[in-house]
Amino acid sequence: METHFEAININEASLPERTAKQISKLIMEQHLTSEDRLPSEFELAELLNVGRGTIREGVKLLVARNVLEVRRGKGTYITQNPGEIPDPLGFTYCPDQLRLAMDLLEIRAQMEPWVAKTAAERATEDNLKALRETCAMVEQDILNEQDHSQSDVRYHTAIATCTQNLVVPKLIPIITHAIKLFVSLTERRLKMETLVGHREILDAICSKDGERAANAMGQHIEYNRVMLEEYRREPPGGE
Amino acid sequence: METHFEAININEASLPERTAKQISKLIMEQHLTSEDRLPSEFELAELLNVGRGTIREGVKLLVARNVLEVRRGKGTYITQNPGEIPDPLGFTYCPDQLRLAMDLLEIRAQMEPWVAKTAAERATEDNLKALRETCAMVEQDILNEQDHSQSDVRYHTAIATCTQNLVVPKLIPIITHAIKLFVSLTERRLKMETLVGHREILDAICSKDGERAANAMGQHIEYNRVMLEEYRREPPGGE
């Protein structure tokens, strides 16, 4: 199918913006991937019939949006996940981070049991291998008393990958964004539960038991919610 | 609470990138909104102790990420929804748009009945007023034979706003992204169903009937899925 979504331009009028759009189109049409070097400024300028300065501005926009990356001494390349940026929903700018964490947990409670169930039903052997590995990474981080927020997000994303749905692995890192805040708020109390909870979810998915995976995930998130609720009522050291 | 998520830098090393981060921090700490003009290049250069050229580069990065916008003849302002960008998950770069649409529908089928139920339970009078208005906008677009994909996304986002959850209204435009493709694929056949389905969801939410809202939304999405499935089996005009 040839149809593509039309990207909505932030600033329809500007020349660098239109150039960025044309370069994006080129990337899509030629199916360029992270292995591919972008054609040179000179070639692009010829091809798109604009000046090299404009090409440079357009490229900068696409770098800022994580479509392109400059590899020192090697040239400009397509990124691994073009267009995906850290914190795409601007959570950094949300003034009430505790409420944000609660609202994210509400969504996780809705989504993730289904994700776990679907993962159990559809996971391939390769998926399960990756899942076991990320589960072990979280355990190692916790046992070494290291920050496990990143490996934790990776574990939940590995579960998402088992669903074979293209979008779920992109959504999970967004809604598990709060784990980082969460880990620092509730600290030690949750670590044991995380170890046990993650293991139980892993076992259920590996034995292809969808119901049990959904229940284990539901409990894991509910426990997190209760902990955060407690924190909200009585922050350590009083108000 | 003062804690903020640390934004992950795409390019930790570059000076413009660090400057962009510091400007972001300034925006957060001073709670600047879309009403506020960013301090001048000169002031920022003084404040952050870097050259004006670096400030300019940093500002460009934040414009590309939709945190700042340049209003002609007025200066640089904070955007309405800082950090939110069109197509944040890079769907534009997905080569198989039909599969993307199916996978998005799978997620919608999971999320949106719950969103509709929660909307019915928590909507304020103001929410309901806005919801009725967007519902009418879709109807008008359909009756005028105009493209209703944008107003359709707005209707589903208005339902999301009724949940009082901070994140749901940010997620819904992402997972309803496919509507645009969808409208063009299935054209006329869906229009009547959209009118009736949207009305039924609206009525259920306005009468605070959560179960009925969830069912109506579930049916609406299921109908969409069946249509897309049919399209996939037999694209008009053959393979």
Side-chain angles (χ1 to χ4, degrees):
Chain A
M1 202 177 61
E2 280 292 311
T3 323
H4 286 292
F5 293 122
E6 188 126 334
I8 305 152
N9 263 334
I10 290 166
N11 182 354
E12 198 63 57
S14 98
L15 186 57
E17 193 64 61
R18 271 181 288 149
T19 305
K21 195 172 174 175
Q22 285 184 290
I23 297 172
S24 295
K25 215 171 155 190
L26 188 89
I27 294 170
M28 286 184 290
E29 286 178 355
Q30 306 198 353
H31 295 99
L32 301 183
T33 70
S34 59
E35 305 296 302
D36 297 309
R37 197 167 176 281
L38 192 72
S40 72
E41 260 176 31
F42 182 80
E43 290 170 280
L44 287 173
E46 288 269 292
L47 197 66
L48 304 180
N49 201 24
V50 292
R52 290 176 63 175
T54 307
I55 295 293
R56 212 170 299 135
E57 289 299 311
V59 167
K60 272 188 194 168
L61 283 173
L62 293 175
V63 169
R65 289 177 193 148
N66 199 31
V67 174
L68 297 174
E69 63 187 350
V70 179
R71 300 188 194 156
R72 302 255 155 169
K74 289 188 173 175
T76 305
Y77 284 77
I78 321 306
T79 60
Q80 198 84 42
N81 297 300
E84 283 185 70
I85 61 164
D87 190 20
L89 297 184
F91 290 154
T92 313
Y93 300 91
C94 173
D96 188 346
Q97 294 281 318
L98 194 50
R99 180 170 163 209
L100 175 64
M102 286 302 285
D103 285 359
L104 283 166
L105 271 176
E106 185 175 56
I107 296 171
R108 292 185 62 192
Q110 193 52 37
M111 277 291 287
E112 290 199 75
W114 168 76
V115 172
K117 177 171 171 285
T118 312
E121 291 163 0
R122 301 183 192 162
T124 66
E125 280 309 310
D126 283 350
N127 289 154
L128 294 181
K129 186 163 169 277
L131 191 57
R132 280 190 206 99
E133 280 164 13
T134 52
C135 187
M137 279 166 54
V138 183
E139 290 180 357
Q140 208 143 50
D141 281 346
I142 291 181
L143 296 175
N144 294 340
E145 309 251 321
Q146 284 180 318
D147 178 12
H148 66 281
S149 52
Q150 269 197 310
S151 52
D152 206 320
V153 172
R154 242 182 265 163
Y155 175 69
H156 286 274
T157 309
I159 298 175
T161 304
C162 301
T163 65
Q164 318 302 323
N165 181 305
L166 288 175
V167 183
V168 176
K170 293 177 189 262
L171 279 182
I172 292 300
I174 298 178
I175 63 174
T176 51
H177 179 100
I179 288 178
K180 195 169 175 180
L181 170 71
F182 198 68
V183 164
S184 64
L185 290 182
T186 53
E187 256 335 305
R188 301 181 155 275
R189 304 180 59 180
L190 254 175
K191 285 184 180 169
M192 208 52 201
E193 198 288 327
T194 300
L195 282 178
V196 177
H198 280 194
R199 251 310 139 185
E200 169 67 10
I201 297 164
L202 176 68
D203 286 347
I205 293 175
C206 287
S207 42
K208 313 213 177 288
D209 187 340
E211 283 311 311
R212 193 178 137 215
N215 285 336
M217 181 65 90
Q219 269 177 37
H220 179 54
I221 291 167
E222 173 60 13
Y223 192 84
N224 279 253
R225 201 190 59 74
V226 170
M227 285 286 110
L228 192 59
E229 195 62 77
E230 263 180 34
Y231 178 91
R232 183 150 77 163
R233 274 200 308 272
E234 298 176 48
E239 242 310 84
Chain B
M1 203 179 58
E2 281 290 311
T3 323
H4 284 295
F5 292 124
E6 188 126 335
I8 303 153
N9 262 333
I10 290 168
N11 183 352
E12 199 62 57
S14 97
L15 186 58
E17 194 63 62
R18 273 181 285 149
T19 305
K21 196 172 174 176
Q22 285 184 291
I23 297 172
S24 294
K25 216 172 155 188
L26 188 91
I27 295 169
M28 285 184 288
E29 286 176 356
Q30 305 198 355
H31 295 100
L32 300 182
T33 71
S34 60
E35 304 297 301
D36 298 308
R37 198 168 175 280
L38 191 73
S40 73
E41 258 175 33
F42 182 79
E43 289 170 279
L44 287 173
E46 288 269 293
L47 196 66
L48 304 181
N49 201 24
V50 292
R52 290 176 63 176
T54 307
I55 295 294
R56 212 169 300 136
E57 289 300 310
V59 166
K60 271 188 195 166
L61 283 173
L62 293 174
V63 169
R65 290 178 192 147
N66 200 30
V67 174
L68 297 174
E69 63 186 350
V70 179
R71 300 188 194 155
R72 303 257 152 166
K74 288 188 172 174
T76 305
Y77 283 76
I78 322 304
T79 59
Q80 198 86 41
N81 297 302
E84 283 184 72
I85 61 163
D87 190 20
L89 298 184
F91 290 154
T92 313
Y93 300 91
C94 174
D96 188 346
Q97 295 281 316
L98 194 51
R99 178 169 165 209
L100 175 63
M102 286 302 284
D103 284 359
L104 283 167
L105 271 177
E106 185 175 54
I107 297 172
R108 292 185 63 192
Q110 195 51 37
M111 277 290 288
E112 290 200 73
W114 168 76
V115 172
K117 177 172 171 283
T118 312
E121 290 163 359
R122 301 183 190 163
T124 66
E125 280 309 310
D126 282 352
N127 288 155
L128 294 180
K129 188 163 167 279
L131 190 58
R132 279 190 207 98
E133 280 165 14
T134 52
C135 186
M137 278 165 54
V138 183
E139 290 180 357
Q140 210 143 48
D141 280 347
I142 291 181
L143 296 175
N144 294 340
E145 308 251 322
Q146 284 180 317
D147 177 11
H148 67 281
S149 52
Q150 268 196 310
S151 53
D152 206 319
V153 172
R154 242 183 264 163
Y155 174 68
H156 285 275
T157 309
I159 297 175
T161 305
C162 300
T163 65
Q164 319 301 323
N165 182 305
L166 288 174
V167 182
V168 176
K170 292 176 189 265
L171 280 182
I172 292 300
I174 297 178
I175 63 175
T176 51
H177 178 101
I179 288 178
K180 195 168 175 180
L181 170 71
F182 199 68
V183 163
S184 66
L185 289 183
T186 54
E187 260 329 309
R188 301 179 156 275
R189 306 179 58 181
L190 254 174
K191 283 184 180 170
M192 208 50 200
E193 198 288 327
T194 300
L195 282 178
V196 176
H198 280 193
R199 255 304 142 189
E200 169 67 8
I201 298 164
L202 176 69
D203 285 347
I205 294 176
C206 287
S207 43
K208 311 210 178 291
D209 188 339
E211 282 312 310
R212 193 179 136 214
N215 284 337
M217 180 65 89
Q219 270 177 37
H220 178 54
I221 291 168
E222 173 59 14
Y223 192 83
N224 279 253
R225 199 189 61 74
V226 170
M227 283 287 110
L228 193 58
E229 196 62 75
E230 264 181 33
Y231 177 91
R232 184 149 77 161
R233 274 200 308 270
E234 299 175 46
E239 250 303 88

